[in-house]
Amino acid sequence: MRRLLLEGFLKSPLTERLPAPDLEAGRELARRLEGAARRRLGRSLAIRQVDAGSCNGCELEINALNNAFYDLERLGLSFVASPRHADVLLVTGPVTKNMQEALERTYRATPDPKWVVAVGDCAFDGGMFAGSYAVAGGVSAVVPVDLHIRGCPPTVQLLEGLLALLETSAGRAAK
Ligand code: SF4
């Protein structure tokens, strides 16, 4: 026991060191996102997340948007519990056949104007689960998608993707 404790103190950890976070870049991205939401909607952006069959890796990254590092709620970007209060549906995973109807109903329950963002490689085309007997396909096989955010899982691309979506739709609306 003493030997194990001593080794624990003397040996360096086996895990890789975390890269130093670029705090300012993350904050700047979040501020731009808030500004774009206010210009486009006149208020903050309400996001409803739908897990259509993911492995939960994408959810870990989405949850991280609300951690103390990004803390998106402080900028008025909120995750809401009902699609009836949402502007954006953030859909993860390949759409499993069990979740297909739930996704269609969630889409219909979301008021216009609304956007659907497919998050992750699985949401794009089924990813590593494509072709499975239990999978209907990527998100666009079930509901119209406005933006795909690729990655397995995507990380800071989530913020970049939401920002691009709002800026593009704001530009379209201004024309
Ligand atoms: S894209 Fe990767 S992390 Fe996201 S649900 Fe698919 S396998 Fe999981």
Side-chain angles (χ1 to χ4, degrees):
M1 183 67 182
R2 203 181 303 159
R3 183 176 58 83
L4 286 175
L5 279 171
L6 200 63
E7 280 179 4
F9 282 121
L10 296 178
K11 282 189 176 170
S12 56
L14 293 175
T15 48
E16 288 178 15
R17 287 202 181 282
L18 277 175
D22 190 347
L23 283 171
E24 199 37 54
R27 286 194 194 111
E28 176 55 25
L29 203 51
R31 271 195 295 269
R32 285 176 56 205
L33 186 51
E34 187 205 15
R38 291 201 182 279
R39 276 195 303 281
R40 179 68 181 96
L41 300 166
R43 54 174 171 74
S44 57
L45 187 73
I47 303 166
R48 167 69 179 157
Q49 201 257 317
V50 183
D51 176 354
S54 96
C55 76
N56 289 151
C58 286
E59 274 70 25
L60 287 176
E61 293 298 332
I62 290 170
N63 284 342
L65 295 178
N66 274 329
N67 68 16
F69 181 78
Y70 290 109
D71 194 11
L72 280 197
E73 292 263 345
R74 125 192 93 96
L75 294 167
L77 297 161
S78 51
F79 285 85
V80 292
S82 165
R84 296 186 196 286
H85 304 152
D87 307 302
V88 171
L89 292 180
L90 210 56
V91 188
T92 59
V95 183
T96 59
K97 290 188 176 157
N98 282 348
M99 279 299 291
Q100 182 170 354
E101 186 186 343
L103 178 59
E104 287 165 350
R105 290 173 66 176
T106 302
Y107 179 80
R108 286 197 299 272
T110 309
D112 291 319
K114 61 187 163 198
W115 297 278
V116 176
V117 179
V119 173
D121 288 346
C122 292
F124 177 64
D125 61 0
M128 65 176 72
F129 304 104
S132 161
Y133 69 91
V135 164
V139 177
S140 60
V142 179
V143 294
V145 172
D146 299 285
L147 178 73
H148 287 106
I149 301 177
R150 300 294 300 269
C152 181
T155 54
V156 76
Q157 297 98 317
L158 283 168
L159 286 181
E160 291 167 349
L162 287 172
L163 179 61
L165 176 78
L166 284 173
E167 288 183 341
T168 310
S169 59
R172 258 194 250 133
K175 281 180 190 168

